[in-house]
Amino acid sequence: MICTYQEYLSQEKALTFEQMQQLHKEMLEEIGTDLEAANIYDELIEAANRYAGLRARWLLMNRDEKNEKDSVRTSIHDYVIMHFNMLARYLKTQGKAAAWRETLGDAQADPYIRKVIGDFACYLVFVNSLNAR
């Protein structure tokens, strides 16, 4: 299956690159030189890498493979969301706004927000991958 960024943008609640860049910028500014926040961020990136790897293969899988991997994907996705939440909670204890987390939305209030959070996790992996050259 051949996909385009424009197709992604046509989907419900899709974030643009510009929106994701802004969220990432806000997040990194709040992390700053805080070592504890940086450690949580590193854990988030580890989780995002696992999630993005599985998500990237999803469209290539047949129905049986998807059924076999679905619970794993959900579990990894939950782990990613947990790390976004952990980072935001920690930053708030340090007097930061963590407004980027509010912008991503509440997955419990709107289950579709899980996709938005997953999209942003994939963006973080994308940025790290480009910088790993």
Side-chain angles (χ1 to χ4, degrees):
M1 172 174 233
I2 297 174
C3 301
T4 68
Y5 175 62
Q6 296 305 32
E7 287 173 89
Y8 163 74
L9 288 177
S10 71
Q11 296 179 36
E12 186 177 342
K13 299 186 184 200
L15 296 171
T16 66
F17 274 134
E18 293 77 15
Q19 289 170 311
M20 289 189 266
Q21 284 176 310
Q22 182 61 37
L23 291 172
H24 194 206
K25 179 180 180 225
E26 291 171 17
M27 179 188 293
L28 294 179
E29 285 173 353
E30 289 186 339
I31 292 170
T33 59
D34 185 317
L35 292 178
E36 182 63 27
N39 286 335
I40 298 169
Y41 180 80
D42 288 347
E43 291 174 10
L44 167 63
I45 295 301
E46 286 288 333
N49 271 287
R50 288 196 311 274
Y51 175 72
L54 185 53
R55 187 168 169 180
R57 291 188 301 276
W58 197 254
L59 292 178
L60 302 173
M61 292 181 187
N62 64 41
R63 184 178 309 268
D64 290 337
E65 291 170 315
K66 287 179 181 178
N67 287 336
E68 180 184 322
K69 298 286 185 186
D70 194 44
S71 64
V72 171
R73 184 177 76 145
T74 299
S75 176
I76 295 169
H77 197 170
D78 290 343
Y79 195 65
V80 167
I81 293 169
M82 180 183 79
H83 278 79
F84 275 119
N85 292 342
M86 285 172 48
L87 180 58
R89 271 194 311 274
Y90 174 78
L91 291 170
K92 286 180 180 182
T93 67
Q94 302 305 302
K96 309 293 183 183
W100 54 267
R101 183 61 191 92
E102 317 303 313
T103 301
L104 285 173
D106 182 357
Q108 291 182 350
D110 179 356
Y112 207 87
I113 294 301
R114 287 179 62 82
K115 293 178 188 259
V116 175
I117 295 168
D119 296 345
F120 186 54
C122 288
Y123 170 83
L124 296 178
V125 172
F126 167 73
V127 168
N128 278 8
S129 298
L130 290 179
N131 282 286
R133 53 195 324 232

